[in-house]
Amino acid sequence: MRPSHLLLAVLVAAVWGVNFTVVEIGLGHFPPLLFSALRFLAAALPAVFLVGRPKVAWKWIAGVGLVLGVAKFGLVFVGMDAGMPAGLSSLVLQIQAVFTAVIAAAVLGERPSGVQALGMLVAVAGIGVAAVDEGASGPLGAFVMVVGAAAAWGVSNVLTRKAAPPDALNFMVWVSTVPVLPLLALSLLTEGPADDLAALRGLDWQGAGTILFVAWVSTVFGFGAWGWLLRRHPASTVAPFSLLVPVFGMSSAALFLGESVTVPRWCAAALLVGGVALTTLAPSRRAAGEAGTAGPAGPAVAATAANRTPDGPDAPDARGASGAPDASDTPAPPARRPEPSLTPRR
């Protein structure tokens, strides 16, 4: 990997880590579900008019949009609004790699290797330590919401793996169009139109800045740059940089929000990051050595790796997202040689 590409990968991890601090600031201006809806609205517009038509079926866009946009981000924003610290949220969400591996084993038949199974146990131990620490000092219900968000992220990873979008940015922009109306409806039902209107009327530069950051910088730039890197490097080379997200998340939360990092939390971070590293980087039994199982580090990793073939990073996968052969798998019949002419040449 070139130094410039390496710096870009670190920058994306830094953006995604700092994003949790920005979300925490934004929650001081908006109700959580309204904030999430505005985030996706800003991510979709005007980008949806610039990225071209969707490159996958609408069922995948709708499925990922509902699971990732409504369930995952809705739970994260509500959990953080209920008291889950930003730094801890950036750490706990990494358990999505374990959920992804478990769901992929059940749905896609990608059996985890022994090293992956060990990594899952280590990561779960880290979650247990973090839960005990948070239960003693903060709301355990908010912690459970973020764990639920990680599970929803795991489901969306597997859906994205099945969809196999050839363009991560195009896919994420179109996915961003799906959660807007459901999140707005949930906000009106649970948070109330009075609170929503008060937040919109009181919009200031800081509130607008948080929306633009989480929409354009974290979502559009982050996923776009991540997909760009994955088209030029193996997923196993790019995926480990996602492990830097909680490092930047916890550091920025401590620096800008004054969040303390306790000794149990450091222990939880070491166990969780180490376990996720084992789970993510070790190949599964079914496809050891195949790019498609380089690791469940996130939607962009799974989706782009699914399309990677020995012929090049942009070559289409002949078997498609489901693994079933299509017409391109059937060898063409040999060309028939022309029959010799019975008419003598002149």
Side-chain angles (χ1 to χ4, degrees):
M1 182 178 285
R2 297 177 183 175
S4 59
H5 295 186
L6 188 149
L7 290 174
L8 180 60
V10 173
L11 176 61
V12 172
V15 164
W16 285 344
V18 173
N19 185 62
F20 288 89
T21 297
V22 176
V23 168
E24 185 70 34
I25 296 171
L27 289 171
H29 296 263
F30 308 98
L33 294 176
L34 175 64
F35 186 24
S36 188
L38 293 174
R39 170 254 181 93
F40 282 109
L41 179 63
L45 298 176
V48 73
F49 299 109
L50 304 175
V51 297
R53 296 173 61 85
K55 294 179 170 53
V56 299
W58 271 104
K59 65 178 181 180
W60 301 119
I61 293 173
V64 175
L66 292 173
V67 176
L68 182 70
V70 179
K72 185 255 184 177
F73 281 105
L75 286 171
V76 170
F77 280 40
V78 172
M80 291 179 64
D81 187 65
M84 183 69 170
L88 185 59
S89 297
S90 70
L91 175 65
V92 170
L93 274 175
Q94 299 308 309
I95 198 68
Q96 58 84 18
V98 174
F99 284 114
T100 302
V102 171
I103 297 168
V107 176
L108 305 179
E110 296 178 357
R111 295 179 58 196
S113 64
V115 174
Q116 282 183 311
L118 175 62
M120 293 180 200
L121 292 176
V122 173
V124 170
I127 287 293
V129 173
V132 171
D133 181 54
E134 183 64 15
S137 59
L140 188 58
F143 182 92
V144 173
M145 288 184 191
V146 176
V147 174
W153 195 359
V155 174
S156 73
N157 286 345
V158 174
L159 289 176
T160 306
R161 174 76 168 84
K162 293 283 287 183
D167 185 336
L169 177 60
N170 173 281
F171 183 66
M172 284 308 302
V173 168
W174 281 102
V175 162
S176 296
T177 65
V178 176
V180 178
L181 292 181
L183 286 170
L184 282 176
L186 288 172
S187 178
L188 290 173
L189 288 173
T190 61
E191 297 164 348
D195 288 348
D196 289 352
L197 287 175
L200 294 174
R201 287 171 180 168
L203 181 65
D204 57 12
W205 68 268
Q206 190 179 60
T210 59
I211 292 174
L212 295 180
F213 185 93
V214 298
W216 292 357
V217 180
S218 178
T219 302
V220 177
F221 165 76
F223 280 100
W226 197 255
W228 185 88
L229 288 169
L230 284 164
R231 286 194 295 272
R232 287 157 178 80
H233 303 282
S236 57
T237 300
V238 180
F241 287 94
S242 67
L243 299 177
L244 295 174
V245 171
V247 175
F248 287 109
M250 296 176 73
S251 301
S252 63
L255 180 62
F256 296 107
L257 303 177
E259 291 186 2
S260 60
V261 184
T262 63
V263 173
R265 196 163 294 178
W266 279 118
C267 293
L271 288 170
L272 187 53
V273 172
V276 169
L278 290 174
T279 305
T280 301
L281 302 182
S284 63
R285 291 180 182 178
R286 176 184 172 186
E290 290 185 4
T293 56
V301 172
T304 309
N307 290 327
R308 196 177 305 277
T309 68
D311 297 327
D314 294 321
D317 187 350
R319 292 186 176 270
S322 65
D326 61 14
S328 61
D329 272 338
T330 305
R336 296 181 61 184
R337 298 180 62 181
E339 298 292 337
S341 174
L342 299 179
T343 304
R345 294 181 180 178
R346 296 185 179 182

